[in-house]
Amino acid sequence: MENQVSAPQNREKPKAHEEQHEHEGREGREGAVDAVVPGWRRRPVRVVLAALAGCAVLGGALLLWPGGERAAGPPAPAAGAQAQAAVLAGAPAALPDLDVLIGERETYLRTHPKDARSWALLGAAYVERGRRTADAAGAFPKAERALRTSLSVRGRGNAEALEGLAVLANAREDFRAARGYAEDALRAQPKRWTAYGPLIDACTGLGDYKAAGRALDRLTALHSGPAVRARAAGVYRDRGWREDAAAALADAAAAAQGPAERAAYLERAGQLAFERGEPEAALRHFQEAVRLDPDQRAAQAGQGRALAALGRTSEALSAYRVALERQPLPQYALELGELYESLGLTQAARVQYELLRERVRRDAAGGVDGSLVLGRLEAGHGDPAEAVRLLRGAWQRRPGIEVADALGWALHRAGQDAEALRYAVIATDQEHGGTVRSAPYAYHRGMIEKALNKQGPARRRLQEALRINPYFSPLAVPEARAALAALGEPPEVALPR
């Protein structure tokens, strides 16, 4: 938008401006659209009514028909109100509703450029749309301009903009900046419960799992509801509490305020089911998520994962292609490439790997750090030395177990097994936070231990990987089984007489 201002991407403290309250009294006089309520803290009743109106629209099936025409019913602002309620609560929003909300806020801000809350809301909506469409280069710079414009209009106490910047930094995988912004938002408004979500994500990305747990405790003391339960599920999953995580997600899905939100929680439940080695249950979750929200591309990629595990290869390939068409995330391209490779279709796999590299380069224009997924690609299918270089840098920026596992595997592929084991231990050792029940992590550690001639530990880790999820990778599972066969049975121990 023309009214947005450019700003550097480095974190900066906001500056106070004397004009911060200029718009406060003027908004009511100028008659802003009632269905969109920028001042949600001051007028919570309207937000609730708007959210209920949006739910009624969704519940009554007053959506776009497949042919593209809108059924008779309330005007478009109801969809914007539904998206606004979701965005303000840190919950997933439907893409068509987000488009309505963004259009409404852009139109409003052309004549009300001093409304800091509307700038913050617009920025948050851009982040959510960029995340849902994987259009980081197109959406994230707009989001940052809107959020920094909000800070320039009202610097002091602008928790909405600071929280939006935290969510944006997490989407860019800049977890240090995200943590700083979230903490700034909470200093501005200590009881702002929605700021704890991005704080939890940032602490998790940095490998500070104790801080993530403390943030969850404070969040649950302040608020309850489906978004909070979904956050709790993520922390439980990282602690290895898979049943608790599944129960929390089931509760979140049951209490969700709209189809898009419920679909997002079902998709996460599908991820958990797949990690447990239950592809049939995972597929049911993913299919229901797509039925509720056809734009839920993560669930379509999940269908590809589950269908491949069930041997329904043609359907799996189709599901991945659909997901990549509308949400071209590098991770989906890596999974599809590995599925092609497992089928002996090496040329098709190379096409996906090159698309991944191109997508990482494109996302970098939106400020996204793609070193983790690119390092995984290079470790498994490219240049292991380059993977080590990329992942060492990632480890300096975000020392979580996800990066520890990837760096350990890259070092193993580069022939540096002694150092590789140190990182594999971090990813799987409870003292370092490695409490996630992850088949890939156990597999990587087992293969590294096998290379170091640690046969007993290697056997136990490879067995653990296949016990956790015997379908975790179309390429790695056969390798794990072959490695176990090569290790043979453990030697018999003579009992004392």
Side-chain angles (χ1 to χ4, degrees):
M1 289 185 56
E2 296 178 358
N3 289 324
Q4 294 172 352
V5 297
S6 299
Q9 294 189 9
N10 296 330
R11 264 190 81 239
E12 298 177 356
K13 295 285 186 180
K15 297 180 181 179
H17 289 259
E18 294 180 358
E19 60 186 358
Q20 68 186 57
H21 298 299
E22 177 179 332
H23 177 68
E24 299 283 341
R26 189 179 64 195
E27 182 183 43
R29 294 195 302 272
E30 294 188 348
V33 179
D34 285 343
V36 178
V37 189
W40 66 283
R41 286 284 184 189
R42 291 177 287 120
R43 288 172 286 178
V45 174
R46 283 194 181 182
V47 175
V48 173
L49 292 175
L52 291 173
C55 290
V57 173
L58 290 165
L62 301 176
L63 298 171
L64 290 178
W65 295 103
E69 297 181 0
R70 183 174 295 277
Q82 175 75 6
Q84 176 175 316
V87 169
L88 292 177
L95 273 176
D97 294 355
L98 278 171
D99 290 340
V100 172
L101 175 61
I102 288 170
E104 289 174 350
R105 290 299 88 196
E106 288 177 339
T107 300
Y108 175 80
L109 284 164
R110 290 190 182 99
T111 54
H112 300 77
K114 297 298 184 181
D115 187 337
R117 287 191 176 93
S118 279
W119 280 114
L121 177 60
L122 177 61
Y126 277 139
V127 175
E128 176 70 358
R129 185 166 70 178
R131 187 187 64 79
R132 291 292 307 272
T133 61
D135 182 20
F140 289 176
K142 291 180 180 179
E144 182 166 5
R145 287 194 295 271
L147 292 165
R148 292 196 180 280
T149 300
S150 178
L151 288 174
S152 72
V153 171
R154 178 166 58 87
R156 182 175 299 170
N158 191 343
E160 296 96 332
L162 290 167
E163 181 185 317
L165 285 168
V167 175
L168 174 60
N170 277 325
R172 287 170 160 169
E173 302 195 24
D174 184 357
F175 299 114
R176 293 190 192 281
R179 184 172 188 170
Y181 284 127
E183 289 172 344
D184 287 347
L186 288 166
R187 276 190 286 271
Q189 290 185 17
K191 293 187 177 181
R192 185 178 178 82
W193 68 270
T194 52
Y196 281 104
L199 179 59
I200 290 169
D201 290 343
C203 291
T204 301
L206 293 171
D208 193 345
Y209 303 101
K210 291 181 179 179
R214 290 193 299 270
L216 176 63
D217 290 341
R218 291 193 289 271
L219 170 58
T220 53
L222 287 171
H223 196 77
S224 62
V228 174
R229 292 170 191 163
R231 290 287 179 188
V235 175
Y236 296 159
R237 180 258 182 195
D238 291 340
R239 291 175 178 172
W241 303 353
R242 297 185 299 179
E243 290 75 14
D244 296 284
L249 281 173
D251 290 344
Q257 296 300 303
E261 184 181 4
R262 183 164 186 260
Y265 302 150
L266 287 170
E267 187 275 328
R268 295 179 203 176
Q271 289 186 43
L272 280 176
F274 186 80
E275 289 177 359
R276 292 195 305 267
E278 301 170 2
E280 297 91 347
L283 183 60
R284 288 194 296 272
H285 286 306
F286 293 139
Q287 288 174 331
E288 177 64 7
V290 173
R291 187 190 69 79
L292 288 168
D293 181 8
D295 292 315
Q296 179 49 254
R297 306 301 172 180
Q300 287 174 322
Q303 286 186 50
R305 209 172 301 128
L307 288 163
L310 295 169
R312 296 161 61 177
T313 308
S314 296
E315 294 172 83
L317 294 172
S318 177
Y320 272 122
R321 293 188 196 110
V322 171
L324 276 163
E325 182 182 356
R326 296 295 297 274
Q327 192 185 22
L329 288 175
Q331 180 61 33
Y332 302 166
L334 179 58
E335 292 181 22
L336 178 56
E338 289 183 341
L339 180 55
Y340 278 131
E341 193 169 336
S342 73
L343 298 170
L345 303 173
T346 54
Q347 181 57 38
R350 282 195 292 268
V351 168
Q352 293 303 317
Y353 298 153
E354 189 52 43
L355 286 174
L356 184 156
R357 294 185 178 96
E358 174 58 31
R359 192 68 210 182
V360 168
R361 288 191 290 267
R362 188 181 307 174
D363 288 348
V368 177
D369 178 1
S371 56
L372 177 56
V373 67
L374 188 57
R376 285 173 170 162
L377 171 67
E378 296 296 347
H381 313 284
D383 181 354
E386 174 65 8
V388 170
R389 185 191 69 79
L390 287 166
L391 292 166
R392 283 195 195 280
W395 177 253
Q396 292 299 315
R397 295 186 296 274
R398 43 182 296 193
I401 60 172
E402 194 174 22
V403 178
D405 168 73
L407 178 54
W409 187 244
L411 287 162
H412 164 69
R413 298 283 290 181
Q416 302 175 51
D417 291 308
E419 186 180 7
L421 183 58
R422 293 204 294 273
Y423 289 99
V425 167
I426 291 172
T428 54
D429 183 5
Q430 293 191 8
E431 290 188 6
H432 296 87
T435 55
V436 175
R437 296 273 292 162
S438 169
Y441 293 1
Y443 162 73
H444 288 158
R445 181 170 174 176
M447 294 297 283
I448 293 167
E449 288 170 333
K450 180 175 181 293
L452 292 169
N453 202 31
K454 297 177 179 289
Q455 296 187 1
R459 187 182 294 108
R460 288 193 297 273
R461 293 294 174 182
L462 292 171
Q463 289 173 339
E464 180 186 6
L466 293 170
R467 186 167 56 251
I468 292 171
N469 181 5
Y471 314 99
F472 68 89
S473 164
L475 283 178
V477 166
E479 292 179 359
R481 296 190 186 282
L484 267 176
L487 287 168
E489 295 298 323
E492 294 184 7
V493 179
L495 297 175
R497 295 185 179 181

